[in-house]
Amino acid sequence: MKSLGLGILLALVLGAVTTLYRFADLEAAGAARFAAALTALRLHDAGFNRDLLRLRHGDLTHYDTVNAAIRAIEADLRALAAAADELAPEVAVLRLLARHKRERLEAFKSDNALVRNSLAYVVHRQEELARRHPALTALGAALLRFLRHPDERRRREVTLQLSHLPTGGEFDSLSAHVRLILERLPRLEATLGELLNTPLGAVARRLADVHLATQTRLQRRADAFRLGLYLAALAFLGYLLVTLARLHRANRRLQAEMGRRLETERQLLQAQKMEALGTLASGIAHDFNNLLTGLQGYAVLAREQLEAGRSPTDALGRIEAIVARGRELAARLLQFARPGGGRCERFAPGAVVAEALDFVRSALPSRVRLRFDDRLPAERKVTGRPGEWQQVVINLVRNAADAVGGDGEITVSLTATAEGVLLEVTDDGEGIAPERLATIFEPFASGKPAGSGSGLGLAIVERIVHAHGGRIEVESRPGRTVFRIRFPWQVPLQR
Amino acid sequence: MRGVLLLLVGFLIDTAHAAEPILPLPETQPPATPASRLGRRLFHDPRLSGSGRLSCAHCHRLDRGGDDDRPLPPIPTGPHPHNTPTVFNARYNHYLHWYGDLDTLEDQARVALQRDMQVNWPTVLARLAADPDYASAFHRLYDGVSEAAVIAALVAFERTLVTPDAPFDRFLRGDTEALTPRQRRGYVLFKRLGCSACHQGVNVGGNLRQKLGVFGRYPGDDPGRFAVTGRPEDRGVFRVPSLRNVALTAPYFHDGRVKTLEKAVALMAELQLGIRLRQAEIQDLVAFLHSLTGRWNAEETSR
């Protein structure tokens, strides 16, 4: 469930990033070029219209600027078409309008040239001739009114004045020019109106508005994506923090649990040790009894010697020796019973195993023979916990004693190998049934009748061996069972 | 304060310019470029034509004002053959040819090669590619020999064919002494009579179309722009030709019918202005037209 949530979050973040990137990549440059070309087109169109009016007015007297403007407009349209595909229909409308303007411009130029040409001529001649022919003054006035409002009434007025002119020579030229003005000026005005009313600029402005709106919408979409990205990142961060906190709590719980387990295990180890001590108690009591018997004998001997007036020095010496042995036995017992696995130390395995065998020997039935075969070099030492080694030895020997029944042989041996010490406990007892072999190291899997032990012996042995970084294996058939334990020279660092 | 004054003076000069119907050419020839040098070779190379005997320069003779001094070209150029227009300053024309039906120098070059020089492109391109000089120049400039590259190089050369420093241009830039008194009278007349209504702009024409024969009928049966558009109002309409270097480009008109400038001026006045000029007026106008002849240095195009 958790990994699914994380996956969805990741997919959200990735999706937002990708979309944002693609959007920025595709739109921005084209949109900027489009807007620039559209602005240029509107400026060129405005300049074009202005120059048309100046041409009509006579303020501008050449056509280079309008020609340049219409070429610039066509270049702008090419730039527009190259910049954006989605507005192609609108650009096509602009292109149509521009083509129309270019075409009408040709008519405007031709008519405007003729009208200005004739006007120049008429004004010049009228001025010259009016001094001699007053009729020309009236014609000039009528023409002036027509120039301001080229309608039908004023046209008839000029025609009337023309009919009053003399004929021949200069007058024929003059009236021809005036007629040309009468004919062409209304058409020129119409063409000019058509050019100025061609809505190239207006359509371009509307297109600019549409484009701006599109841009704004895209910008808003980009903002939304950015916000989404931000929120997703926030959620991601929050999820990370929660997960970290959970991990931290779980870790603390685990550590506490581990502490409790270690403590329980330690207590278990101790309890089993005490149990082992209990089973050894009769043997130990027997030992102490022997010592006490010895003590009593020498004490009686010492009294008899005192009463006989002889010195009991020898008997007292014996008593001291026996007491010393008793103290030593007590010390060793205390040492074994001391709670806790103890710290790791370096020790000679032979002495520690021999001591454990001493404890257990007195508790064995008299017909059971216990042999110790120490093949280790004397100075060879291992690191480990000697108390736990002894617990292993005692448990295995007790099990072996049970296995051989009242009569048999148990051999304990120590051998040096490349990796460490091989401890073998061999007996010639009945053996372990094959179906039980797999479970003998599990707690309460005891093969002994109920009440004869805690059922923890071999389980404890396995724990201790593993804690020392060692391995334990068992090989059994009727008449020969071997427990092999391989202790390394050094306990691995993790313990 | 001084800035404002300068701005004001600049504005006045600018409006003074705007008030004149004719604008000066740039003061110097455009500099040669690698492309224009390649175009110059092509322009003079008869291998471009189908026959292998005609080059562009065959009709556009750069030592004769950019045309061929003949009434009509010696080659078939369509149903209505026209007098060769000058190639000089062609870049400043709004459109090209007598009907004004070609918008760009590229279009003109393509039509001239196809129609007038009967170019066979695969053959010509193979010829050019076989010439190591051409091949290396084309590879350097255009990624190889192609029709578009040939046209581009020719146009690059044509763009250098500008004739600056005409006396009239110096006059427009403020040197009143650049024109003789007769030429100055001619210019005043040129504007007052209305010639400049059509012959205006930087090329003194070349930027609008007009009916030839407003007040009379031009001889001959050329339909004019009607041949292109088929519209009745375009009958007899031609592109107004540029008058720059007009003194060098006789004979005159689309059919090369008129041999002298004097006769051309008189005919124009009659047909377009509806007036008969006096001899003195014609002389003044012709003197003015001579002031439109610029300079062109062939060496600068190969430098």
Side-chain angles (χ1 to χ4, degrees):
Chain A
M1 266 331 271
K2 266 184 194 173
S3 64
L4 183 70
L6 193 67
I8 289 170
L9 260 178
L10 266 175
L12 275 178
V13 174
L14 266 179
V17 170
T18 311
T19 316
L20 198 66
Y21 175 78
R22 277 183 43 212
F23 163 79
D25 194 41
L26 289 176
E27 305 285 346
R33 278 202 304 274
F34 192 86
L38 208 53
T39 306
L41 181 124
R42 289 170 62 191
L43 284 175
H44 287 137
D45 186 57
F48 178 83
N49 288 348
R50 182 202 59 208
D51 281 351
L52 283 181
L53 291 168
R54 289 180 66 201
L55 281 166
R56 172 69 190 86
H57 178 250
D59 171 41
L60 183 65
T61 50
H62 63 80
Y63 300 103
D64 283 356
T65 56
V66 278
N67 286 340
I70 203 81
R71 279 174 183 266
I73 286 170
E74 283 163 359
D76 296 335
L77 284 168
R78 282 194 296 276
L80 279 179
D85 286 340
E86 70 264 32
L87 293 172
E90 286 85 345
V91 174
V93 169
L94 286 178
R95 201 178 294 120
L96 266 175
L97 292 172
R99 195 176 301 150
H100 181 66
K101 271 198 145 171
R102 180 176 200 151
E103 197 186 303
R104 299 314 295 153
L105 173 65
E106 291 304 315
F108 172 83
K109 285 191 294 189
S110 300
D111 282 342
N112 192 57
L114 286 180
V115 167
R116 297 228 58 92
N117 170 15
S118 292
L119 270 180
Y121 181 85
V122 169
V123 168
H124 176 60
R125 283 291 151 168
Q126 197 263 351
E127 187 185 6
E128 260 183 14
L129 299 176
R131 269 173 257 139
R132 286 178 281 157
H133 298 279
L136 277 171
T137 312
L139 175 67
L143 192 60
L144 199 63
R145 285 192 289 274
F146 177 75
L147 289 178
R148 283 201 59 185
H149 300 286
D151 57 20
E152 186 54 31
R153 185 169 64 84
R154 291 177 177 88
R155 201 182 74 84
R156 278 203 305 274
E157 202 182 316
V158 176
T159 317
L160 181 70
Q161 292 301 327
L162 275 178
S163 67
H164 296 156
L165 282 188
T167 54
E170 294 168 322
F171 294 105
D172 285 352
S173 291
L174 189 66
S175 58
H177 277 287
V178 171
R179 284 205 181 82
L180 187 136
I181 292 171
L182 290 181
E183 180 202 335
R184 292 294 173 101
L185 187 66
R187 204 169 89 176
L188 178 64
E189 288 291 312
T191 307
L192 180 63
E194 203 181 331
L195 274 167
L196 295 177
N197 289 328
T198 301
L200 186 63
V203 170
R205 198 180 59 229
R206 222 166 41 230
L207 184 54
D209 290 346
V210 169
H211 186 245
L212 191 67
T214 313
Q215 282 305 101
T216 312
R217 208 177 60 237
L218 290 175
Q219 185 60 49
R220 257 191 231 120
R221 210 169 74 192
D223 288 347
F225 277 132
R226 207 176 302 132
L227 185 67
L229 191 63
Y230 176 71
L231 289 178
L234 270 188
F236 194 55
L237 195 67
Y239 182 85
L240 221 69
L241 285 176
V242 168
T243 309
L244 269 177
R246 270 195 201 144
L247 209 70
H248 188 66
R249 263 209 313 277
N251 192 31
R252 270 214 318 254
R253 248 196 338 260
L254 261 174
Q255 265 177 355
E257 173 70 23
M258 214 150 87
R260 269 200 303 281
R261 279 236 190 134
L262 279 177
E263 177 59 21
T264 311
E265 202 157 294
R266 201 187 57 75
Q267 287 171 1
L268 189 66
L269 217 64
Q270 185 64 19
Q272 203 274 335
K273 196 149 65 179
M274 288 306 160
E275 185 215 337
L277 267 181
T279 60
L280 294 177
S282 63
I284 292 164
H286 186 74
D287 278 0
F288 271 102
N289 211 27
N290 287 345
L291 291 178
L292 291 175
T293 308
L295 272 181
Q296 194 177 27
Y298 285 113
V300 170
L301 183 64
R303 184 197 299 262
E304 286 171 356
Q305 285 175 340
L306 271 176
E307 282 170 0
R310 281 181 292 156
S311 168
T313 314
D314 186 44
L316 288 176
R318 295 289 178 130
I319 289 171
E320 273 174 0
I322 290 168
V323 168
R325 264 178 54 206
R327 190 171 291 137
E328 197 188 334
L329 185 62
R332 274 193 281 170
L333 266 177
L334 285 174
Q335 167 85 21
F336 179 66
R338 198 172 58 199
R343 289 203 319 276
C344 276
E345 50 189 272
R346 283 181 69 73
F347 61 93
V352 166
V353 171
E355 201 172 280
L357 294 180
D358 279 349
F359 288 140
V360 82
R361 180 174 285 120
S362 44
L364 296 178
S366 52
R367 307 277 292 275
V368 173
R369 293 167 301 282
L370 178 61
R371 288 198 315 115
F372 178 39
D373 187 4
D374 182 4
R375 292 192 283 254
L376 285 180
E379 73 280 6
R380 201 67 215 249
K381 290 187 173 174
V382 295
T383 43
R385 286 171 287 276
E388 293 184 1
W389 274 62
Q390 288 182 334
Q391 204 171 346
V392 166
V393 171
I394 290 166
N395 279 330
L396 289 179
V397 171
R398 274 178 54 213
N399 271 8
D402 289 342
V404 297
D407 189 357
E409 189 171 281
I410 300 169
T411 309
V412 176
S413 73
L414 284 175
T415 317
T417 69
E419 300 90 39
V421 178
L422 173 64
L423 167 70
E424 284 180 316
V425 177
T426 314
D427 68 66
D428 53 1
E430 59 199 5
I432 305 165
E435 67 271 15
R436 282 192 55 237
L437 264 182
T439 57
I440 51 169
F441 294 114
E442 287 174 11
F444 312 112
S446 173
K448 290 170 251 179
S452 65
S454 66
L456 288 172
L458 283 176
I460 291 290
V461 166
E462 200 208 14
R463 293 269 173 92
I464 290 172
V465 170
H466 280 170
H468 279 77
R471 283 180 289 132
I472 183 164
E473 57 196 48
V474 58
E475 187 192 308
S476 180
R477 56 178 151 74
R480 180 179 157 81
T481 299
V482 188
F483 282 86
R484 284 194 192 87
I485 295 167
R486 297 166 202 278
F487 282 114
W489 294 113
Q490 299 272 339
V491 176
L493 279 177
Q494 64 258 32
R495 284 296 292 264
Chain B
M1 199 53 217
R2 189 191 279 179
V4 172
L5 210 64
L6 275 176
L7 207 70
L8 204 65
V9 169
F11 178 74
L12 285 175
I13 289 171
D14 190 48
T15 37
H17 255 313
E20 291 295 339
I22 301 172
L23 304 175
L25 282 174
E27 287 178 87
T28 54
Q29 261 174 258
T33 63
S36 80
R37 280 191 284 272
L38 174 61
R40 181 173 172 277
R41 270 194 75 187
L42 292 167
F43 192 83
H44 292 88
D45 196 331
R47 281 180 288 179
L48 253 56
S49 65
S51 66
R53 289 197 299 271
L54 280 175
S55 70
C56 305
H58 195 85
C59 291
H60 297 288
R61 294 184 56 171
L62 301 181
D63 56 343
R64 295 286 185 87
D67 68 351
D68 60 359
D69 297 352
R70 281 184 283 244
L72 295 173
I75 48 170
T77 57
H80 305 288
H82 288 156
N83 178 259
T84 305
T86 177
V87 71
F88 283 115
N89 307 312
R91 64 178 292 183
Y92 295 112
N93 287 330
H94 184 51
Y95 21 52
L96 301 154
H97 280 191
W98 281 96
Y99 295 153
D101 52 343
L102 297 171
D103 280 345
T104 64
L105 293 175
E106 284 82 358
D107 290 344
Q108 192 280 330
R110 199 168 279 116
V111 166
L113 281 165
Q114 217 109 50
R115 188 190 65 190
D116 305 340
M117 290 167 70
Q118 308 272 306
V119 70
N120 180 334
W121 278 112
T123 315
V124 165
L125 294 180
R127 276 183 209 152
L128 295 179
D131 183 319
D133 283 359
Y134 273 132
S136 74
F138 273 108
H139 274 281
R140 218 170 36 247
L141 295 168
Y142 301 106
D143 304 325
V145 186
S146 66
E147 182 181 335
V150 171
I151 302 285
L154 282 171
V155 168
F157 175 59
E158 283 175 51
R159 289 184 165 279
T160 69
L161 297 178
V162 175
T163 59
D165 206 29
F168 184 66
D169 284 342
R170 295 205 296 277
F171 172 80
L172 284 179
R173 289 201 162 89
D175 179 5
T176 27
E177 298 307 307
L179 298 191
T180 64
R182 161 163 269 180
Q183 285 173 328
R184 285 204 291 274
R185 278 205 307 279
Y187 179 47
V188 171
L189 205 53
F190 187 80
K191 289 193 281 188
R192 202 184 62 204
L193 291 176
C195 312
S196 68
C198 289
H199 294 284
Q200 35 62 48
V202 70
N203 249 4
V204 203
N207 57 1
L208 80 160
R209 304 187 187 103
Q210 192 55 275
K211 186 173 175 62
L212 175 59
V214 179
F215 295 98
R217 191 181 166 279
Y218 186 86
D221 57 357
D222 196 311
R225 197 168 155 70
F226 176 78
V228 181
T229 66
R231 290 189 304 210
E233 67 263 35
D234 283 334
R235 201 170 278 283
V237 169
F238 290 86
R239 180 192 68 157
V240 173
S242 163
L243 293 184
R244 285 204 174 267
N245 304 304
V246 69
L248 305 177
T249 60
Y252 300 105
F253 296 107
H254 59 271
D255 52 5
R257 182 183 296 271
V258 177
K259 291 187 175 57
T260 66
L261 206 45
E262 286 77 5
K263 282 189 181 141
V265 167
L267 186 60
M268 273 277 100
E270 198 183 316
L271 294 182
Q272 302 305 103
L273 305 177
I275 52 175
R276 202 173 287 274
L277 292 175
R278 288 190 295 274
Q279 203 54 40
E281 290 176 320
I282 293 175
Q283 291 309 322
D284 288 354
L285 283 167
V286 167
F288 160 68
L289 292 176
H290 272 87
S291 79
L292 292 171
T293 302
R295 290 180 208 274
W296 184 70
N297 188 346
E299 280 169 27
E300 279 189 40
T301 61
S302 54
R303 204 173 274 163

